[in-house]
């Protein structure tokens, strides 16, 4: 298993409620772009059309070709995600795309957006943790 793409801003911008692993229905040129890491996950979100989940606004290549990619989930997971998306302030985003064997899988998450003060608290917590690690490493 190797991680190909990571949505770096996701954990800072959103509070993660639940995660799922979904297969991706891709064509050949899409797989090649993902393996060459020419795809961006910033601004990508998941919508449901005709009872199937799709990655919306996935940017391929330098020409900013935007395409929708179908997600492969079982019915129970689809039902869970669809009912959660009906709630207020909950959305679904991809966290990372990884290669498992010869298959490409996406880790997707149900998330709730953080407010500005939540983001400031997470920055403070990160700084305090970093200072504590420095102090512990200086002692030894």
């Amino acid at each position: 298993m190797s991680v190909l793409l990571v949505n770096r801003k996701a954990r800072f911008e959103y509070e993660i409620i639940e995660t799922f692993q979904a297969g991706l229905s891709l064509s050949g040129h899409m797989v090649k772009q993902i393996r060459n890491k020419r795809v961006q996950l910033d601004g990508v979100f998941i919508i449901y059309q005709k009872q199937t989940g799709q990655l919306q606004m996935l940017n391929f290549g330098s020409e900013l070709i935007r395409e929708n990619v179908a997600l492969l989930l079982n019915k129970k997971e689809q039902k869970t995600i669809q009912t959660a998306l009906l709630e207020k302030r909950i959305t679904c985003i991809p966290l990372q795309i990884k290669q498992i064997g010869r298959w490409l899988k996406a880790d997707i998450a149900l998330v709730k957006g953080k407010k500005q003060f939540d983001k400031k608290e997470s920055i403070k917590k990160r700084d305090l943790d970093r200072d504590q690690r420095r102090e512990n490493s200086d002692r030894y």
Side-chain angles (χ1 to χ4, degrees):
M1 178 184 84
S2 62
V3 177
L4 299 174
L5 302 170
V6 176
N7 190 349
R8 296 179 62 104
K9 292 183 181 180
R11 297 191 191 277
F12 179 72
E13 297 282 334
Y14 301 102
E15 174 189 343
I16 297 172
I17 299 169
E18 190 175 358
T19 60
F20 302 95
Q21 188 175 42
L24 298 172
S25 178
L26 300 167
S27 63
H29 73 91
M30 293 179 187
V31 173
K32 187 173 182 179
Q33 294 289 341
I34 289 173
R35 286 188 178 149
N36 290 332
K37 299 180 182 176
R38 293 186 184 153
V39 179
Q40 300 170 357
L41 290 179
D42 296 338
V44 178
F45 56 95
I46 295 166
I47 61 168
Y48 269 85
Q49 292 179 340
K50 300 179 183 175
Q51 304 297 323
T52 61
Q54 294 182 350
L55 285 174
Q56 189 79 17
M57 305 284 289
L58 193 59
N59 295 326
F60 285 96
S62 60
E63 302 91 30
L64 293 178
I65 301 168
R66 294 190 172 124
E67 296 191 32
N68 298 344
V69 175
L71 295 174
L72 306 172
L73 294 162
N74 63 34
K75 289 184 181 181
K76 185 177 178 183
E77 291 173 339
Q78 286 182 358
K79 185 79 169 171
T80 305
I81 293 172
Q82 283 179 326
T83 55
L85 289 177
L86 295 176
E87 293 180 29
K88 192 173 185 179
R89 292 187 56 216
I90 293 194
T91 188
C92 192
I93 60 168
L95 297 176
Q96 62 186 8
I97 295 178
K98 57 188 171 184
Q99 183 174 358
I100 299 175
R102 57 176 249 188
W103 307 105
L104 293 179
K105 305 272 184 171
D107 285 344
I108 61 174
L110 291 172
V111 295
K112 187 179 280 191
K114 285 185 182 178
K115 301 280 188 197
Q116 187 67 33
F117 62 88
D118 292 331
K119 293 178 188 177
K120 288 180 182 178
E121 285 179 17
S122 64
I123 291 172
K124 287 178 188 176
K125 184 178 183 297
R126 183 179 62 206
D127 290 343
L128 288 173
D129 290 342
R130 182 176 44 224
D131 291 341
Q132 287 176 351
R133 279 187 306 214
R134 283 183 186 161
E135 288 176 6
N136 290 338
S137 65
D138 289 341
R139 290 181 187 171
Y140 299 110

